[in-house]
């Protein structure tokens, strides 16, 4: 292999493919434009200057592009994180907020190293579908305030923006339709002098790059105990949203990502953001959908450029960006919400075939997210509901059948199914203690003991027969069940 060939092999895909390079650059530009009003809005929620949210979006994006585990995913300042740290900023000041962001990053690195990403496999598909649908609803709901009490010209502008994004791809896909929509609507409103809300109305854009520094707080135990609860909550919320978003992008792109690296990367990005005076953040689902699903980006370049372009647009092209009508960005986000929603999941044909429990889990997830505006709460509530539904379903799979020997001296109870706390609670009542003969055999060759509740239930059965002078023999235990039974049997009664 020639040196030139080896060098080509070391280059990223986007350097070797001009088409990929163009897609990634344009996608990064679209995302940067969409990040500006979102970051400003989240700064308002957190109670900080708009520049703080913009700085956070810049540092989060460029850092996670290097250290993250999911290519093409966008991390920036988010509403969920803003809601968590807003009370801290309100009660203790901005210095404590920055310190909490840094500590949250440390927590995320520790949780990532401990393997918290592996918990993702316990999130059922119905919760994932509910997560996606509730995300789409939240994205749409976030645009509703931008369509209330506004000049009438906003509505035709939004309609025109949606039409451009629907029909322009039929002409060409070389340039992302959202970018075309933003440029066209901006040119029209500026040229025609149409008075509508603009990005500049959201807040002043920064005029210089952020400067690194330490948080302005006393480095004492009292400060640590004050910020720790907020930092830990931020770490959990940020990781959950980021890992769920990474899984969603995995499904969309049919590729795998390193969730542990992503967990650690989120921590590193938040630490960097804190030292640059940002408000912290996590994966930004709406902007990720713009990047991956709408614009077709697939590499780290788009993520890095989203952050880089954000600062360039604010610092160099601030006056131009300030003139972008909010209607253009609203149209982009409405299109994203419709593209994100899993319409197949709510089709009548699908609902008729779906088990009631699965539908319940999806509805609970969506309802909790929409009610709280917190995706993490919805995922936790949906997962707990799924566990309850699963436990209820499996509990009914434990069956007991009895066969009495012809001579009438022995009865064999054959237990079939999974024995755990939900199913074993009913097990005790399935035996005829008074009417059975002197010898009772419980055959567990078609069952499995999962927990202490099942061992306690078998002990209770033996005790009830023993009170009547009858003997019980338990047979057929598989090796794991036998080890658990031998370890706990006789040790679970009151007084032990």
């Amino acid at each position: 292999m020639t040196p030139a060939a080896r060098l080509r092999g070391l280059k990223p895909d986007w350097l070797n493919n001009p088409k990929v390079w163009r897609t990634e650059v344009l996608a990064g530009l679209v995302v940067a434009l969409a990040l500006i009003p979102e970051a400003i809005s989240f700064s308002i929620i957190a109670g900080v200057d708009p520049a703080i949210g913009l700085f956070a979006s810049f540092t989060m994006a460029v850092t996670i592009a290097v250290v993250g585990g999911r290519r093409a995913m966008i991390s920036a300042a988010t509403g969920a994180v803003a809601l968590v740290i807003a009370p801290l900023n309100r009660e203790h000041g901005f210095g404590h907020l920055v310190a909490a962001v840094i500590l949250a990053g440390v927590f995320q690195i520790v949780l990532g190293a401990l393997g918290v990403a592996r918990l993702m496999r316990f999130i059922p598909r119905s919760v994932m579908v509910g997560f996606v649908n509730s995300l789409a609803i939240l994205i749409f709901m976030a645009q509703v305030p931008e369509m209330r009490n506004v000049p009438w010209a906003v509505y035709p502008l939004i309609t025109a923006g949606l039409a451009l994004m629907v029909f322009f791809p039929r002409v060409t896909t070389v340039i992302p339709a959202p970018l075309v929509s933003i440029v066209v609507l901006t040119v029209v409103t500026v040229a025609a002098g149409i008075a509508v809300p603009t990005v500049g109305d959201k807040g002043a854009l920064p005029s210089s790059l952020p400067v690194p520094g330490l948080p302005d707080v006393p480095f004492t135990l009292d400060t640590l105990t004050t910020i720790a609860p907020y930092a830990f909550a931020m770490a959990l919320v940020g990781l959950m949203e980021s890992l769920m978003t990474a899984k969603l992008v995995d499904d969309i792109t049919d590729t795998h990502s390193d969730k542990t690296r992503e967990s650690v990367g989120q921590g590193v990005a938040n630490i960097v953001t804190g030292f640059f005076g940002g408000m912290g953040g996590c994966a930004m689902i709406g902007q990720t959908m713009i990047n991956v699903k709408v614009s077709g980006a697939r590499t780290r370049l788009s993520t890095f450029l989203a952050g880089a372009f954000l600062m360039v647009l604010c610092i160099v092209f601030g006056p131009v960006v300030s003139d972008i009508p909010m209607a253009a960005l609203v149209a982009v986000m409405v299109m994203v919400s419709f593209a994100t929603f899993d319409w197949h999941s709510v089709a009548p044909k699908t609902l008729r075939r779906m088990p009631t429990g699965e539908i319940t889990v999806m509805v609970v997830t969506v309802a909790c997210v929409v009610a709280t505006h917190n995706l993490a709460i919805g995922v936790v509530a949906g997962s707990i509901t799924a566990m309850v539904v699963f436990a209820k379903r499996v509990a009914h799979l434990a069956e007991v059948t009895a066969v009495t020997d012809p001579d009438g001296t022995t009865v064999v109870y054959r237990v079939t199914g999974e024995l755990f706390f939900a199913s074993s609670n009913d097990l005790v009542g399935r035996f005829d203690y008074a009417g059975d003969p002197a010898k009772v055999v419980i055959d567990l060759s078609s069952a499995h003991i999962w927990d202490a509740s099942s061992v306690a239930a078998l002990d209770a059965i033996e005790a009830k027969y023993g009170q009547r002078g009858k003997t019980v023999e338990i047979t057929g235990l598989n090796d794991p069940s036998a080890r658990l039974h031998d370890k706990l049997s006789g040790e679970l009664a009151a007084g032990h």
Side-chain angles (χ1 to χ4, degrees):
M1 183 181 292
T2 65
R6 284 197 296 270
L7 183 60
R8 283 195 299 272
L10 293 173
K11 291 181 180 179
D13 292 341
W14 55 268
L15 275 179
N16 296 325
N17 190 329
K19 184 179 179 181
V20 172
W21 184 87
R22 183 179 60 243
T23 299
E24 299 297 313
V25 171
L26 293 176
L29 180 56
V30 174
V31 172
L33 289 168
L35 276 173
I36 293 173
E38 296 279 307
I40 294 174
S41 297
F42 298 145
S43 299
I44 295 171
I45 292 174
V48 298
D49 187 89
I52 303 302
L54 292 166
F55 288 156
S57 296
F58 161 62
T59 53
M60 286 293 298
V62 297
T63 305
I64 206 69
V66 178
V67 300
R70 173 65 258 179
R71 291 180 297 174
M73 191 167 77
I74 304 297
S75 290
T78 58
V81 169
L83 287 170
V84 170
I85 60 176
L88 178 64
N89 180 61
R90 187 169 55 249
E91 295 170 16
H92 298 280
F94 181 66
H96 282 73
L97 181 150
V98 173
V101 170
I102 296 172
L103 183 59
V106 174
F107 282 146
Q108 288 178 328
I109 292 175
V110 173
L111 290 171
L114 291 175
V116 69
R118 289 195 292 270
L119 297 176
M120 286 297 296
R121 67 178 184 269
F122 295 108
I123 297 179
R125 182 185 178 279
S126 51
V127 173
M128 191 67 193
V129 172
F131 170 82
V132 171
N133 290 345
S134 55
L135 158 67
I137 293 170
L138 285 187
I139 292 174
F140 183 82
M141 289 174 62
Q143 311 315 310
V144 173
E146 304 296 338
M147 294 184 275
R148 288 179 180 165
N149 303 317
V150 293
W152 67 269
V154 168
Y155 304 109
L157 285 173
I158 293 175
T159 304
L162 291 171
L164 277 170
M165 284 182 284
V166 170
F167 295 109
F168 186 80
R170 301 182 184 183
V171 178
T172 179
T173 56
V174 172
I175 303 175
L179 180 58
V180 174
S181 177
I182 291 170
V183 171
V184 169
L185 293 188
T186 302
V187 170
V188 169
T189 54
V190 172
I194 302 173
V196 292
T198 64
V199 170
D201 296 331
K202 286 288 183 180
L205 301 181
S207 57
S208 62
L209 289 171
V211 178
L214 295 175
D216 184 17
V217 294
F219 292 89
T220 63
L221 182 60
D222 183 59
T223 300
L224 180 63
T225 55
T226 299
I227 66 174
Y230 296 96
F232 191 67
M234 176 185 164
L236 291 178
V237 169
L239 280 184
M240 186 170 293
E241 290 210 22
S242 299
L243 294 176
M244 290 292 285
T245 305
K247 189 174 187 303
L248 178 59
V249 178
D250 288 353
D251 294 339
I252 292 172
T253 61
D254 196 25
T255 58
H256 174 73
S257 62
D258 187 338
K259 305 299 189 303
T260 297
R261 178 177 173 180
E262 182 60 39
S263 302
V264 174
Q266 288 290 328
V268 173
N270 272 305
I271 291 174
V272 171
T273 298
F275 281 121
F276 276 91
M279 57 180 276
C282 62
M284 206 169 190
I285 305 165
Q287 272 62 26
T288 298
M289 291 300 100
I290 294 176
N291 197 46
V292 174
K293 199 164 188 177
V294 179
S295 301
R298 292 292 183 271
T299 76
R300 297 178 185 274
L301 178 63
S302 58
T303 305
F304 179 85
L305 288 180
F309 282 150
L310 174 63
M311 281 293 99
V312 171
L313 288 169
C314 291
I315 296 171
V316 180
F317 300 102
V320 176
V321 173
S322 296
D323 287 335
I324 295 175
M326 284 302 300
L329 299 175
V330 168
V332 171
M333 298 310 293
V334 168
M335 180 62 71
V336 169
S337 71
F338 275 88
T340 302
F341 197 90
D342 186 351
W343 297 101
H344 175 73
S345 67
V346 296
K349 183 178 179 181
T350 304
L351 293 176
R352 283 195 297 268
R353 294 181 176 180
M354 192 74 68
T356 303
E358 301 287 320
I359 297 174
T360 302
V361 170
M362 183 176 69
V363 170
V364 167
T365 303
V366 173
C368 289
V369 171
V370 173
T372 63
H373 285 228
N374 190 318
L375 290 161
I377 291 177
V379 170
V380 171
S383 299
I384 293 173
T385 304
M387 293 176 190
V388 172
V389 170
F390 175 76
K392 184 178 179 182
R393 185 183 302 160
V394 175
H396 295 297
L397 298 181
E399 299 292 338
V400 180
T401 55
V403 177
T404 305
D405 282 357
D407 59 7
T409 60
T410 305
V411 61
V412 178
Y413 283 93
R414 184 177 178 85
V415 182
T416 304
E418 307 299 320
L419 299 181
F420 66 113
F421 62 89
S423 58
S424 59
N425 286 337
D426 298 328
L427 191 64
V428 180
R430 307 289 290 276
F431 295 81
D432 184 5
Y433 302 102
D436 283 340
K439 184 177 181 181
V440 177
V441 177
I442 302 177
D443 180 8
L444 297 176
S445 56
S446 297
H448 186 97
I449 298 175
W450 286 103
D451 60 4
S453 296
S454 303
V455 177
L458 292 173
D459 284 353
I461 292 167
E462 290 188 77
K464 287 180 179 292
Y465 277 116
Q467 291 170 359
R468 294 168 174 80
K470 301 175 183 181
T471 61
V472 176
E473 180 184 0
I474 297 176
T475 64
L477 287 170
N478 58 36
D479 289 342
S481 298
R483 285 195 295 270
L484 184 63
H485 185 266
D486 292 344
K487 181 179 180 181
L488 297 179
S489 182
E491 301 295 326
L492 301 171
H496 286 283

